[in-house]
Amino acid sequence: MWRRRRHPRYVTLLAPLVTYTMRLLAGTGDTAFSTLPMIAEVAKEQRVHTSRPLSIAVVSSQITITASPLSTAVVFFASLLLPAILSTMIGLFLRQASD
């Protein structure tokens, strides 16, 4: 396995930047899960409490959802579809109630 760590001392600073960038570009938080074991391993090697870089990385990944253009697009299109979905559901409910 190819491993090259240029600046392992800065795991607490680099971990949130990596997870932020990955989620921003991908639009989903599932990408951060792949980096968590690596962050924990580097933190252990540097004798840093693993909770520090891991918690900061997870929080930065969650904050990114507000900046992600993909998630913004999903919310926008969902808001466009909401009236049609609600009218269909209300129509089905009224049809069932009258039967």
Side-chain angles (χ1 to χ4, degrees):
M1 179 182 282
W2 184 75
R3 291 185 182 180
R4 183 175 178 185
R5 298 182 179 128
R6 293 184 181 177
H7 303 287
R9 296 175 297 213
Y10 304 118
V11 66
T12 307
L13 298 175
L14 293 176
L17 292 175
V18 169
T19 55
Y20 184 91
T21 305
M22 288 176 64
R23 186 165 186 168
L24 182 67
L25 297 177
T28 180
D30 295 337
T31 58
F33 294 136
S34 62
T35 60
L36 296 181
M38 192 178 311
I39 293 169
E41 183 179 338
V42 172
K44 283 180 186 177
E45 289 175 2
Q46 293 299 311
R47 298 182 185 207
V48 175
H49 291 286
T50 55
S51 61
R52 290 178 187 159
L54 286 174
S55 61
I56 295 171
V58 169
V59 169
S60 72
S61 176
Q62 294 299 320
I63 290 173
T64 311
I65 198 69
T66 59
S68 175
L70 292 175
S71 61
T72 306
V74 168
V75 170
F76 173 73
F77 286 115
S79 69
L80 291 179
L81 292 174
L82 184 64
I85 293 171
L86 286 178
S87 66
T88 304
M89 289 176 62
I90 291 171
L92 289 173
F93 178 71
L94 292 176
R95 194 174 316 147
Q96 276 186 336
S98 65
D99 289 340

